[in-house]
Amino acid sequence: MAVEKVSVVFKLYCLAVMTLVAATYTVALRYTRTISSGDLYFSTTAVCITEVIKLILSLGMLAKETSSSVRFKNMLAEQIIYSPKELLKLSVPSLVYAVQNNMAFIALSNLDAAVYQVTYQLKIPCTALCTVLMLNRSLSRLQWFSVFMLCGGVTLVQWKPAEATKVQIEQNPFIGFLAIAVAVICSGFAGVYFEKVLKSSDTSLWVRNIQMYLSGIVVTLIGVFINDGEKVMEKGFFYGYTPWVCLVVLLASVGGLYTSVVVKYTDNIMKGFSAAAAIVLSTVASVLLFGLQITITFASGALLVCISIYLYGLPKQDTSTVARPDKATDSELKQKLINV
């Protein structure tokens, strides 16, 4: 996907917003699961509400894109009501994303926000592997090197997880890591699957989002009643909700849609800087809010992860185009000899 030419100020704006959303979401979610006073809310309901908000936002973006109420209604009828196969096709990433989002709550209930932010970058090698297998793309040697470097950095971070002194609830780092592992696998597969569906037709991105979020609402509602059905019926769907929980839901909703804007107007290097900056911000916030104790292994691992993200985002060098000028030069010389 070609990056549109926009001003540096706008790119910096995109970078800043993406970084703040990623870091704030992680820290706020951790806060609501470990420190926030009051009754603990049901994570399954938060995931479901997130899908509803994403659907509403996508409907608004599609209405803006069509610029006509008649075209908007016709497109919804054609692509949603009369296309059950497409809805079924998009139910696959809906289910996978639902699992991923629920795993985030489990992970951040057992791991610090900074540790989570670093470890979650394993989605990069997972996505790379899915891209190679599902889209038949190739990675450069530098990208493969950065993937192994990233895995090494995450290993250092998890070798002796940093402790948060202000968190009093019981935590299980092993369960937290397993939850992240499931989340990154889901993220890699669902992202590449959705990209493949997008590129298989000329259907609008917002239409595809609407199809996916409709399926997502059904999937997450089923998850609510399977996991917390009795408790929800007894205490209510919005039991335990506070302004912090509402912030988590809002950030999760906006963050997913804002990613498409960032992909359109920025490049991989800027996204890499954003991920690295989010790690730094999450670490600082974890020290202040949760009393995170920074260790040498954590700092070294986080640094390796940041460097690997930057290296992975560097543009690939196409060696096939390097030889073309030489060939052109040889042909020009031959032509000159013939003319002589």
Side-chain angles (χ1 to χ4, degrees):
M1 182 182 295
V3 178
E4 294 187 12
K5 292 184 178 180
V6 293
S7 66
V8 176
V9 175
F10 183 77
K11 286 186 176 183
L12 291 175
Y13 160 78
C14 291
L15 176 66
V17 173
M18 183 178 181
T19 303
L20 287 175
V21 167
T24 307
Y25 168 74
T26 304
V27 174
L29 201 162
R30 171 70 171 174
Y31 180 81
T32 61
R33 303 302 291 182
T34 58
I35 292 182
S36 181
S37 59
D39 299 317
L40 189 63
Y41 62 99
F42 304 119
S43 61
T44 52
T45 63
V47 174
C48 182
I49 296 171
T50 299
E51 295 297 302
V52 174
I53 296 176
K54 286 181 180 180
L55 175 63
I56 295 172
L57 293 175
S58 295
L59 286 169
M61 294 302 297
L62 181 63
K64 182 180 179 181
E65 185 178 80
T66 55
S67 303
S68 170
S69 58
V70 176
R71 288 180 58 195
F72 176 70
K73 293 178 181 178
N74 291 338
M75 187 171 290
L76 286 181
E78 179 183 351
Q79 300 290 341
I80 307 299
I81 299 176
Y82 301 116
S83 300
K85 290 184 179 180
E86 296 301 315
L87 285 175
L88 185 61
K89 185 189 298 183
L90 269 299
S91 65
V92 175
S94 298
L95 175 61
V96 177
Y97 276 132
V99 174
Q100 174 195 335
N101 293 332
N102 279 285
M103 287 300 105
F105 284 87
I106 297 175
L108 283 165
S109 297
N110 292 280
L111 293 174
D112 187 80
V115 177
Y116 170 87
Q117 193 74 264
V118 174
T119 309
Y120 188 62
Q121 300 309 314
L122 284 174
K123 66 181 180 180
I124 294 177
C126 184
T127 303
L129 182 61
C130 290
T131 300
V132 171
L133 296 177
M134 297 171 63
L135 299 180
N136 295 321
R137 293 180 185 170
S138 61
L139 299 180
S140 66
R141 291 181 180 179
L142 181 60
Q143 286 179 314
W144 281 117
F145 173 76
S146 65
V147 164
F148 286 111
M149 180 186 290
L150 189 147
C151 294
V154 171
T155 301
L156 282 176
V157 169
Q158 290 292 337
W159 189 263
K160 187 179 180 181
E163 296 182 358
T165 58
K166 296 182 182 180
V167 176
Q168 302 299 327
I169 67 168
E170 185 178 353
Q171 300 176 96
N172 190 325
F174 179 71
I175 292 178
F177 179 77
L178 286 181
I180 293 182
V182 174
V184 298
I185 293 173
C186 291
S187 176
F189 172 77
V192 175
Y193 181 96
F194 187 62
E195 180 182 352
K196 190 171 184 178
V197 171
L198 277 178
K199 294 186 176 181
S200 65
S201 67
D202 295 329
T203 307
S204 167
L205 168 65
W206 301 114
V207 170
R208 290 302 191 189
N209 279 338
I210 292 169
Q211 292 170 340
M212 184 168 65
Y213 297 144
L214 279 172
S215 302
I217 292 172
V218 175
V219 169
T220 52
L221 274 176
I222 294 174
V224 169
F225 289 101
I226 289 177
N227 295 318
D228 302 307
E230 294 183 1
K231 296 178 181 178
V232 169
M233 295 297 291
E234 177 186 353
K235 299 180 179 180
F237 196 86
F238 296 99
Y239 174 78
Y241 274 62
T242 64
W244 278 102
V245 178
C246 294
L247 176 63
V248 169
V249 172
L250 179 63
L251 290 173
S253 305
V254 175
L257 295 177
Y258 195 81
T259 301
S260 61
V261 178
V262 173
V263 170
K264 184 176 181 180
Y265 291 111
T266 65
D267 52 31
N268 285 330
I269 296 178
M270 293 194 71
K271 285 186 289 182
F273 276 121
S274 175
I279 290 174
V280 173
L281 289 178
S282 298
T283 303
V284 173
S286 295
V287 171
L288 297 176
L289 292 175
F290 311 116
L292 179 69
Q293 298 177 338
I294 302 297
T295 62
I296 296 178
T297 54
F298 175 84
S300 302
L303 180 61
L304 280 179
V305 169
C306 292
I307 295 173
S308 65
I309 293 172
Y310 171 75
L311 294 177
Y312 185 86
L314 290 176
K316 295 171 65 177
Q317 293 182 352
D318 188 359
T319 55
S320 62
T321 59
V322 176
R324 289 180 181 177
D326 295 335
K327 292 182 179 180
T329 304
D330 292 340
S331 61
E332 289 176 4
L333 289 173
K334 290 179 181 179
Q335 187 63 39
K336 288 180 181 180
L337 291 173
I338 294 172
N339 291 336
V340 173

